[in-house]
Amino acid sequence: MNRNPKYEALLDYLKQLDRVVLAFSGGVDSTFLLRAAKEALGDRLKAVTILSPYIPKWEIEEAKELVRELGVDYEIIEAPLIDEIRYNPDNRCYLCKTAVFSMIKELAGKGGYRYVIDGTNFDDIHDYRPGLKALAELGVKSPLLDCKLTKAEIRSLSRELGLPTWDKPPYACLLTRIPYDSELRIEDFEKIERAEKYLMDLGFRAIRVRCHDDLARIEVGRSDRSRLFDEELMDRISEKLKEFGFRYVSLDLAGYRTGSLNAAIGVTG
């Protein structure tokens, strides 16, 4: 790839950290950061992925494969559903990240690593991200944010680096599929995961299945909505999602948008 000034600045930034643990989800940002950190730090890098009931199994498998391909030391930490978020409070992201990154920091300290880093990018500060407060309180560093790398730049650089995630659709944990102040149940996570994976396998890229008890509210990208107006396909999807545990299956006519459940707490976008 052509040496990009921001990428060079990122490598210099990472080299100064010496020994780091990277919180790795397998998404666009953390995969790009993992690749850069491997180049900058070599064996002074460890990647950690969180295994929890609200992280899809397919995403864990993708993360494991990406780490294997990049040849990075790796560990998976099992994180239970903590009592503080059992009823999905509106500050759940803050509470969850506090718990999860405390576990990662403990692992890093025991292993002699100086810093924990994550894939927050420069665009994230303009979005509703209550978890950023937790990262700041715990002293987690965000190299992509500090080097002012935007999502578009990260995708472009990822493509130049040959990373398979360069055009991966955005994905958030399954907690975001359930309305605030609702009890979180393992069986709901399972049926959401199965429903979304089924729709992805049908070729829908930007997809969310919001869970309102026994009703599934499907959100797809605006360019994909017309595909769902095929009666045979609608019947197949309805039948399959009912097999997964939903009683009713609906299509959100507004299409996919990030954080659609945040409107209930007065946050848009």
Side-chain angles (χ1 to χ4, degrees):
M1 63 178 285
N2 296 324
R3 304 313 288 186
N4 179 286
K6 279 195 175 182
Y7 187 71
E8 291 297 322
L10 175 63
L11 294 179
D12 290 340
Y13 178 107
L14 291 165
K15 288 173 184 175
Q16 294 178 38
L17 300 183
D18 189 31
R19 285 174 55 81
V20 305
V21 170
L22 190 159
F24 183 64
S25 68
V28 177
D29 301 324
S30 65
T31 301
F32 171 71
L33 182 56
L34 184 71
R35 168 63 175 77
K38 174 65 174 178
E39 181 176 344
L41 299 169
D43 294 337
R44 293 172 291 156
L45 167 69
K46 185 184 186 75
V48 171
T49 294
I50 295 298
L51 173 64
S52 79
Y54 45 86
I55 303 296
K57 300 176 186 64
W58 63 261
E59 193 167 38
I60 299 293
E61 292 304 313
E62 284 189 4
K64 288 163 61 176
E65 178 62 20
L66 287 164
V67 170
R68 186 192 65 78
E69 290 176 0
L70 290 171
V72 175
D73 185 26
Y74 186 50
E75 189 164 338
I76 294 176
I77 299 178
E78 189 167 349
L81 184 65
I82 60 174
D83 289 338
E84 290 85 348
I85 66 170
R86 179 68 62 179
Y87 289 91
N88 211 22
D90 58 17
N91 64 340
R92 57 126 193 271
C93 190
Y94 168 78
L95 296 170
C96 178
K97 284 198 179 295
T98 297
V100 164
F101 276 87
S102 293
M103 295 173 67
I104 297 175
K105 281 199 70 175
E106 182 179 358
L107 179 146
K110 289 179 179 178
Y113 293 90
R114 293 186 62 189
Y115 296 102
V116 172
I117 62 175
D118 89 309
T120 301
N121 69 55
F122 192 61
D123 291 335
D124 290 335
I125 60 174
H126 306 297
D127 197 1
Y128 178 63
R129 302 274 178 160
L132 296 182
K133 178 184 175 185
L135 301 182
E137 290 176 353
L138 290 168
V140 174
K141 289 189 172 293
S142 301
L144 305 180
L145 171 60
D146 292 341
C147 293
K148 298 184 178 180
L149 280 152
T150 66
K151 176 69 84 172
E153 290 171 328
I154 291 164
R155 287 190 183 278
S156 177
L157 287 166
S158 295
R159 188 174 189 178
E160 289 185 43
L161 289 165
L163 296 174
T165 51
W166 74 269
D167 66 341
K168 184 176 181 177
Y171 202 78
C173 79
L174 300 180
L175 295 173
T176 63
R177 314 300 196 270
I178 297 173
Y180 292 110
D181 300 318
S182 301
E183 183 178 5
L184 299 174
R185 299 185 291 259
I186 302 299
E187 56 266 31
D188 286 339
F189 296 140
E190 291 174 347
K191 66 186 183 185
I192 294 166
E193 177 180 349
R194 295 177 71 190
E196 290 191 346
K197 185 64 168 63
Y198 173 73
L199 289 162
M200 290 176 189
D201 289 344
L202 288 177
F204 294 99
R205 287 174 53 78
I207 176 72
R208 296 289 184 271
V209 176
R210 312 291 182 183
C211 176
H212 302 266
D213 294 322
D214 56 2
L215 182 145
R217 175 166 59 89
I218 299 172
E219 298 177 10
V220 297
R222 299 182 72 86
S223 61
D224 277 334
R225 285 184 300 177
S226 61
R227 282 187 59 200
L228 277 172
F229 296 143
D230 177 273
E231 288 191 17
E232 182 180 345
L233 181 59
M234 284 194 290
D235 288 343
R236 286 169 54 200
I237 292 172
S238 177
E239 181 180 351
K240 185 60 71 172
L241 267 59
K242 287 175 181 177
E243 288 180 15
F244 296 155
F246 291 103
R247 180 173 296 179
Y248 308 104
V249 181
S250 66
L251 171 65
D252 191 318
L253 299 182
Y256 165 69
R257 63 264 188 219
T258 59
S260 70
L261 289 170
N262 289 336
I265 57 171
V267 177
T268 59

